[in-house]
Amino acid sequence: MSNLITIQNLTVKYESFTALKAVDFSLSKGEFVAILGQNGSGKTTLIQTLLGLKEPTSGTITLQEGLRMGYLPQHYHNSDKNFPATVEEVVLSGALLGQKGYKRPKAEHRFFMEKHLEELEISHLKTRRIGTLSGGQQQRALLARALMTEPDVLIMDEPTSALDPSMRETFFELLTHLNHHHQVAILLITHDIGVASEYLKRVIYLDQKVLFDGTFEAFCENDELSPYVHTHLPHKEGK
Amino acid sequence: MGMIFERFILIFSFSFMIRALLVGLLTAVSSSMVGTFLVLKRYSMIGHGLAHVAFGAVAVGLLFSTSPLLIALPLVVATSVLILKLNEKADVHADAAIGVMATTAMALGTLLASIDGGFTTVLNGYLFGSILTVQWLDFGLALALLVGVIGFVGYNYHSLFSLTYDPTFAHVSGIPVKRLNLILAIFTGIIVVVGIRLLGTILISSFIIFPTLISMQFKKGFKTTFLTSLIIALGTVFFGISMSFIFDFPTGSSIVLLNAVVFILVFILQTFKSRRAS
């Protein structure tokens, strides 16, 4: 299976502080991977470097030719409640942002927008200004925007932090649906492994370098990582 | 009332008034188109800072030439780009970068004026602007600017919306965010210089800020806000210049105060409307 993303020997430094040290991993089509780790372990740096927002100090990131990356930020980052944009405009921008010249959205764009909004249960909010929505509603609108880019891989930084527990379940079910039926690879940072556990296929545990890369079951049974597992997943006894 | 109407009609019999109206309307469209993105990117003060820079640049221009705006143009555009780069590279906050540039340029302008006392009066004219000084060359510049802005914004409308709302998402999706920001900065510099004759360095930033700020009060989507700000910019410039002629008020002040009155009225109206709705 060809890799969508290959990271080799990646090191990222902030002045004298090393955030990532010789990280290696690859992501293939259709995978569902969670990056776990304590605060300050380099998770967000890894995502930012992958997205091209931060330059690697050394090492390489190879993306499959023509790879489309969808991105969902940590939580609603544009705190401007008065930003004049409707949910519809923001979601459609996912499909339109590369277009040259002002064109009205095509019928197929509208069709997909309606479909995503319906799946995410926010159809009724499409004419509302995005700043007036709750954190969870905004997060779903931004996921719909990411889906409009028809991504091969969806990269998310703690996507469920603004969602209430019942919505978290629905959110992961939706990701699984995308993963299974549309073959969208999922790469996410989460602390929410309690909810995510039944959906994850693979776990990468990071502490500046990759300390674990394997199945979720093997992760839970890893002696060295049991303090993390016990804190974040108390009902798992480990070995 | 009849006298006001007579004076209004009289506007169109003076070629200097027609020139001022044309330059004002053309620049209003350019500045409100660019202004929507600047205000929403929280770069509102860039116009204000650049206007101060323009004061220094005009002083430099007066020292070397009889067409100071032609000297000021590249200087202001270069400063606009520098502010952007300082903000991007050196991690200096935009407001601090603007403050540093503006005060340095003002200091330079004042210093040059004190060394060569001969042009102090001319320089003061650029502080508040004067419609009497608007030339056909300014019309040419304003027209070329408008064509450039319409071409740029029209061609990149969707990308500009994305990078204004969420620059990270735009970058990740392959939008050349830095290049588009750079072009926005260049256009902002040109707008400031072209608008100086009409409004003066003190008031030019209102061209960029007010129309968007007023249209945002209607709490609509992006496209509606963008188009509303164009209409407001055209309306306030047309009636502002007309008022200044009819009542013999300074042009810059008339336009800015008219914008302020419209802003207050719309604000009150919207507050009243939302109270009634809730």
Side-chain angles (χ1 to χ4, degrees):
Chain A
M1 200 186 295
S2 68
N3 289 335
L4 299 177
I5 298 168
T6 309
I7 293 179
Q8 287 173 307
N9 209 19
L10 179 73
T11 297
V12 180
K13 290 183 181 174
Y14 293 94
E15 292 172 1
S16 60
F17 173 71
T18 304
L20 293 173
K21 200 173 174 183
V23 168
D24 285 295
F25 82 84
S26 57
L27 185 78
S28 305
K29 196 173 175 185
E31 282 202 286
F32 195 135
V33 183
I35 301 172
L36 309 178
Q38 306 285 5
N39 288 336
S41 58
K43 305 185 295 291
T44 299
T45 303
L46 177 62
I47 294 282
Q48 286 183 339
T49 315
L50 191 56
L51 294 171
L53 300 169
K54 177 122 192 73
E55 286 289 312
T57 310
S58 63
T60 57
I61 298 174
T62 313
L63 305 179
Q64 191 187 63
E65 211 180 312
L67 182 78
R68 278 185 292 203
M69 291 202 282
Y71 169 64
L72 187 64
Q74 188 161 12
H75 44 75
Y76 187 60
H77 52 285
N78 191 338
S79 56
D80 186 355
K81 275 189 174 313
N82 294 317
F83 194 96
T86 60
V87 170
E88 198 173 7
E89 284 177 317
V90 171
V91 174
L92 280 169
S93 76
L96 298 172
L97 82 179
Q99 263 192 21
K100 294 300 175 200
Y102 177 77
K103 290 176 194 136
R104 283 168 177 279
K106 291 179 190 155
E108 61 175 277
H109 292 145
R110 291 204 168 274
F111 172 78
F112 283 117
M113 177 191 71
E114 299 287 353
K115 185 169 151 268
H116 296 315
L117 291 180
E118 206 165 299
E119 276 178 337
L120 290 157
E121 300 171 22
I122 48 170
S123 291
H124 59 294
L125 301 173
K126 72 176 177 186
T127 54
R128 284 262 302 270
R129 280 187 311 136
I130 191 144
T132 62
L133 268 52
S134 72
Q137 290 168 333
Q138 286 177 19
Q139 194 69 343
R140 280 181 275 166
L142 295 185
L143 177 62
R145 178 186 64 172
L147 295 176
M148 291 298 287
T149 63
E150 296 179 59
D152 301 305
V153 55
L154 199 49
I155 296 173
M156 292 169 278
D157 190 349
E158 295 202 40
T160 52
S161 57
L163 304 182
D164 57 47
S166 67
M167 195 58 218
R168 288 179 191 190
E169 198 88 35
T170 315
F171 188 84
F172 276 109
E173 277 167 16
L174 182 86
L175 292 185
T176 310
H177 171 79
L178 289 169
N179 183 245
H180 281 177
H181 296 276
H182 302 280
Q183 287 291 296
V184 178
I186 310 276
L187 180 68
L188 78 160
I189 293 177
T190 184
H191 282 302
D192 222 3
I193 51 174
V195 182
S197 59
E198 56 185 292
Y199 306 99
L200 295 175
K201 290 176 184 165
R202 180 181 158 201
V203 164
I204 292 172
Y205 185 84
L206 206 64
D207 188 7
Q208 291 179 308
K209 38 195 177 185
V210 176
L211 294 186
F212 177 89
D213 185 350
T215 64
F216 183 72
E217 288 71 25
F219 174 72
C220 291
E221 291 176 4
N222 187 307
D223 283 338
E224 285 174 29
L225 302 173
S226 62
Y228 180 88
V229 176
H230 281 293
T231 314
H232 291 85
L233 206 60
H235 65 279
K236 287 269 176 190
E237 290 301 319
K239 209 186 268 184
Chain B
M1 199 66 189
M3 207 180 90
I4 292 175
F5 185 72
E6 272 172 31
R7 282 197 64 103
F8 176 73
I9 296 297
L10 204 60
I11 290 173
F12 303 98
S13 57
F14 290 108
S15 65
F16 80 92
M17 281 306 293
I18 292 171
R19 268 201 308 269
L21 271 174
L22 286 173
V23 172
L25 293 172
L26 295 177
T27 316
V29 176
S30 301
S31 56
S32 89
M33 282 178 97
V34 170
T36 304
F37 299 106
L38 291 179
V39 170
L40 294 174
K41 280 161 68 65
R42 302 185 181 206
Y43 262 76
S44 298
M45 290 311 287
I46 200 168
H48 199 60
L50 286 179
H52 287 73
V53 171
F55 177 79
V58 166
V60 174
L62 282 170
L63 208 59
F64 296 109
S65 153
T66 48
S67 306
L69 289 185
L70 290 179
I71 305 262
L73 188 66
L75 287 176
V76 174
V77 168
T79 312
S80 183
V81 172
L82 193 63
I83 291 172
L84 182 78
K85 291 292 162 197
L86 268 176
N87 190 229
E88 272 176 11
K89 299 247 187 231
D91 214 16
V92 176
H93 287 297
D95 55 349
I98 292 166
V100 166
M101 296 290 173
T103 46
T104 309
M106 280 300 276
L108 179 71
T110 316
L111 189 84
L112 289 177
S114 78
I115 293 171
D116 188 340
F119 65 75
T120 308
T121 322
V122 187
L123 188 61
N124 284 344
Y126 283 97
L127 274 176
F128 296 101
S130 165
I131 48 173
L132 293 171
T133 59
V134 174
Q135 308 292 314
W136 282 113
L137 172 71
D138 297 295
F139 171 74
L141 273 172
L143 186 63
L145 172 66
L146 181 63
V147 170
V149 169
I150 289 178
F152 170 66
V153 174
Y155 191 65
N156 297 292
Y157 177 84
H158 297 296
S159 301
L160 287 169
F161 168 76
S162 284
L163 78 86
T164 305
Y165 177 66
D166 186 348
T168 308
F169 181 80
H171 176 86
V172 170
S173 308
I175 300 297
V177 173
K178 284 189 177 175
R179 196 173 71 212
L180 293 175
N181 278 338
L182 179 75
I183 301 173
L184 266 182
I186 292 171
F187 276 126
T188 309
I190 302 174
I191 286 167
V192 166
V193 175
V194 171
I196 278 180
R197 280 217 212 266
L198 211 58
L199 287 184
T201 55
I202 302 285
L203 303 173
I204 179 67
S205 59
S206 66
F207 248 42
I208 291 169
I209 305 171
F210 259 127
T212 304
L213 209 59
I214 295 168
S215 61
M216 278 174 72
Q217 301 307 311
F218 292 106
K219 302 189 187 309
K220 299 286 182 193
F222 188 81
K223 198 166 94 178
T224 311
T225 305
F226 183 83
L227 293 174
T228 311
S229 79
L230 279 183
I231 295 165
I232 290 166
L234 286 170
T236 50
V237 165
F238 180 78
F239 289 110
I241 293 179
S242 303
M243 267 168 49
S244 84
F245 180 82
I246 293 167
F247 300 108
D248 205 14
F249 292 155
T251 312
S253 306
S254 304
I255 296 172
V256 176
L257 289 175
L258 185 60
N259 268 295
V261 169
V262 173
F263 175 78
I264 292 166
L265 287 178
V266 173
F267 180 78
I268 293 171
L269 193 77
Q270 287 303 313
T271 312
F272 185 68
K273 244 174 84 178
S274 63
R275 285 226 176 123
R276 247 180 48 172
S278 62

